[in-house]
Amino acid sequence: MSINPRVETKEDIQLIKRYTLLPLLLDMLARDVEQMRLHQDKIVYHHVIWYLHGVEASIFLELQSMKHQLKQRGIRILKTDTNALGIDVEYKVRGYIHHFVMLRSLIKAELLTTLMNMRRR
């Protein structure tokens, strides 16, 4: 049974969504590391910074893997627009253009879930 090129699969959508959200998580982590610098004299500072850098490294590895998977599946992210309401992503799956919108509340929930899952690994 072949895949209809016009229809993106659930796996395609999940991959695109995750590939879109992980850079946002990296930005948030970088912002939090900067804010932590205000508390360098605290005893847990170095432990928290070490942990956050570990999370960043695992995100970079996952992004590399996902980029390879996107290429294999014939998927390209064309445009990502962030606005006050959320994020709008336009992408091409096997030659056909699609898009989706995620609201800020959903983005926040997804990022928190992602962080919790990374912590368990």
Side-chain angles (χ1 to χ4, degrees):
M1 182 164 88
S2 66
I3 296 175
N4 182 351
R6 291 182 185 219
V7 179
E8 69 268 65
T9 65
K10 284 184 180 182
E11 293 84 17
D12 293 340
I13 295 170
Q14 285 297 95
L15 186 62
I16 293 164
K17 183 171 78 170
R18 191 153 171 87
Y19 188 77
T20 303
L21 290 176
L22 286 179
L24 294 174
L25 186 54
L26 283 173
D27 290 343
M28 292 172 69
L29 288 173
R31 183 199 64 212
D32 290 349
V33 166
E34 273 304 309
Q35 295 237 329
M36 288 293 297
R37 294 195 192 287
L38 300 172
H39 305 286
Q40 287 183 4
D41 58 336
K42 303 296 181 190
I43 202 161
V44 297
Y45 169 79
H46 294 289
H47 177 71
V48 171
I49 295 299
W50 175 80
Y51 172 75
L52 292 177
H53 285 306
V55 171
E56 285 178 341
S58 65
I59 290 172
F60 280 121
L61 289 174
E62 190 169 344
L63 280 170
Q64 284 180 330
S65 170
M66 293 170 82
K67 191 173 188 176
H68 181 71
Q69 289 177 34
L70 288 169
K71 190 173 185 176
Q72 282 183 329
R73 291 174 178 252
I75 300 171
R76 278 189 36 213
I77 308 296
L78 301 174
K79 185 171 64 170
T80 303
D81 291 326
T82 305
N83 56 42
L85 296 176
I87 193 166
D88 186 6
V89 180
E90 185 176 352
Y91 57 96
K92 187 184 281 190
V93 177
R94 294 175 285 281
Y96 294 91
I97 296 176
H98 305 275
H99 82 280
F100 70 86
V101 176
M102 288 181 67
L103 297 176
R104 290 180 76 83
S105 57
L106 179 60
I107 293 169
K108 183 177 179 181
E110 288 285 335
L111 292 177
L112 286 174
T113 302
T114 299
L115 271 176
M116 294 303 288
N117 289 336
M118 287 183 153
R119 194 174 120 204
R120 289 185 186 131
R121 287 187 224 155

